[in-house]
Amino acid sequence: MDGRGGWPVEPVEQIREVGVNFEFSDEQRLLRDQARRFLDDNAPPGAARAVLDDGEISFDRDLWTAIAELGWTGVIIPEEYGGAGMIREDLCVIAEELGRSLAPTPFASSVYLATEAILIAGTEDQKQKFLPQLADGSLIGAFAMAEGPGVPTAERIQTSFSDGRVTGMKSPILDGDVADAAIVVAKEGDNGLSLVWVDLNGDGVARRKVETVDPTRSHAEITFDGAPGVRLG
């Protein structure tokens, strides 16, 4: 600080001169244009409307298969786990176009949430086991944290994980009605909260679709009654 108690001018001016570039690269703009053309052809407004009008359909499975074949579901998964090994800015490009088109797919829950949880917290064996299935879209993931209305703080989490079993209720869970597996936030003894992988098609799992303020996305209430689980990490 200078003698007048203010910050020196020079560093501020240097920061202004350097600036920060928030523009996409040429390669990312090309990716954006390709994604936009694909979604214009394969995810018109009618696709989202069809899901809205049909209470039995939660997402466009053909569209999901198509974007998986393009590699989008594994965009940030490293190549050694079957992914494309791209960076998160590339994922941002794809995400913007999916949002623009209102593409009815479980992309957010599977790619943003479940995949990220495993990349951050999973062991090497867990990454080898789960990430290839998420990368090729054959497995849809979800992230189960909320337990009813309100902010899901650590103190409010009641779902528990003990002796390899998960017990409790989570709601509303984005794409919980169509996901094959969920990363469940659960209390584990005196260790605080753990992230637990649970097969939603396995024993001890019951789920029902619930309505939310956003009818364009499906949500579910999931009840775990001693469901087998595997702690991440």
Side-chain angles (χ1 to χ4, degrees):
M1 298 177 68
D2 62 21
R4 294 168 297 176
W7 293 102
V9 173
E10 292 79 9
V12 175
E13 293 301 327
Q14 291 173 0
I15 292 173
R16 289 173 178 168
E17 289 176 5
V18 172
V20 178
N21 181 15
F22 292 103
E23 294 294 325
F24 291 133
S25 67
D26 290 341
E27 292 79 6
Q28 288 165 343
R29 284 193 285 269
L30 178 60
L31 175 62
R32 178 195 61 194
D33 294 342
Q34 292 172 339
R36 182 169 298 185
R37 286 195 297 271
F38 171 81
L39 291 169
D40 284 345
D41 291 339
N42 295 276
R49 172 56 61 184
V51 172
L52 280 172
D53 292 342
D54 190 329
E56 299 301 319
I57 300 175
S58 296
F59 73 107
D60 188 329
R61 190 169 292 276
D62 290 339
L63 177 60
W64 177 253
T65 299
I67 67 175
E69 290 174 349
L70 290 173
W72 293 3
T73 47
V75 63
I76 59 169
I77 294 177
E79 292 181 4
E80 60 263 36
Y81 305 122
M86 299 169 76
I87 61 176
R88 283 168 174 77
E89 284 79 2
D90 300 323
L91 174 59
C92 181
V93 171
I94 295 172
E96 283 191 355
E97 294 308 310
L98 286 167
R100 183 191 65 84
S101 68
L102 294 178
T105 69
F107 194 87
S109 55
S110 195
V111 179
Y112 307 158
L113 302 177
T115 294
E116 283 284 359
I118 297 171
L119 286 171
I120 293 170
T123 65
E124 179 60 27
D125 287 344
Q126 290 167 346
K127 291 176 182 178
Q128 292 283 356
K129 181 177 181 180
F130 300 132
L131 288 178
Q133 300 175 74
L134 290 164
D136 66 16
S138 61
L139 186 147
I140 297 172
F143 192 79
M145 181 167 62
E147 296 185 359
V151 179
T153 61
E155 293 76 17
R156 294 188 60 192
I157 299 295
Q158 297 300 310
T159 298
S160 63
F161 178 61
S162 178
D163 297 325
R165 302 281 176 172
V166 176
T167 300
M169 183 276 293
K170 295 289 185 178
S171 180
I173 305 305
L174 178 63
D175 298 313
D177 58 321
V178 298
D180 301 295
I183 308 298
V184 181
V185 181
K187 294 190 301 182
E188 185 179 8
D190 297 328
N191 297 324
L193 299 179
S194 294
L195 297 178
V196 185
W197 173 278
V198 178
D199 179 357
L200 296 182
N201 298 313
D203 295 335
V205 178
R207 44 185 168 171
R208 67 178 184 89
K209 196 170 181 178
V210 296
E211 294 183 359
T212 68
V213 294
D214 182 5
T216 66
R217 302 305 309 276
S218 66
H219 293 75
E221 176 185 286
I222 308 177
T223 302
F224 303 97
D225 185 10
V230 177
R231 183 198 311 108
L232 294 188

